Amino acid sequence: AGTIHALPPCSTVLELRAQRGIPAAILDRVERVPVGKGMAGLAAERRQPVQVCNLQTDASGVAKPAARETGMRGSIAVPVFADGEICGVLGIGKGAEHEFTADEVSLLERLGALLGRHLR
């Protein structure tokens, strides 16, 4: 599953621009995500990737409880930048437990840099 959220200039709310595999029952809850809330909001706030190995069992409080409804386990939210400014977040969810490696995170950050050109 995946999401792309944009962060409009001067906004504190991420706006869903694209998604794949997000259940219709929770789509309205991911359409707008405040910076600092949930994985995407924390990635935007911290300006660094946020991940959990298993959404279904995570007790860290990083992911919102509704995230479990996706059925995903290994998940990551990667901030997207354009010209050094945060402009969105790329979210990826896997059906199995997964700890994203440094190489995988680097690849997602590079993809985010490409996306950033189109989110502004």
Side-chain angles (χ1 to χ4, degrees):
T3 57
I4 297 173
H5 283 88
L7 182 63
C10 302
S11 179
T12 60
V13 178
L14 294 158
E15 299 173 356
L16 186 66
R17 293 285 174 85
Q19 65 86 19
R20 182 170 181 115
I22 304 299
I26 66 164
L27 200 51
D28 63 327
R29 289 183 260 172
V30 299
E31 285 180 344
R32 296 177 50 81
V33 177
V35 171
K37 302 291 182 184
M39 289 180 64
L42 287 173
E45 180 180 68
R46 296 175 181 174
R47 299 174 58 95
Q48 63 185 17
V50 172
Q51 69 170 304
V52 295
C53 179
N54 188 339
L55 279 176
Q56 303 306 312
T57 59
D58 181 65
S60 71
V62 169
K64 289 185 173 184
R68 288 187 178 93
E69 294 178 43
T70 64
M72 295 296 106
R73 287 174 169 68
S75 300
I76 189 167
V78 179
V80 173
F81 297 94
D83 300 322
E85 295 296 320
I86 182 89
C87 65
V89 175
L90 170 63
I92 303 291
K94 296 176 66 80
E97 287 187 10
H98 186 76
E99 186 75 28
F100 289 83
T101 66
D103 287 343
E104 290 170 322
V105 172
S106 178
L107 174 61
L108 291 171
E109 289 173 326
R110 290 193 310 271
L111 289 172
L114 293 173
L115 282 173
R117 298 178 194 166
H118 303 284
L119 289 180
R120 282 281 180 204

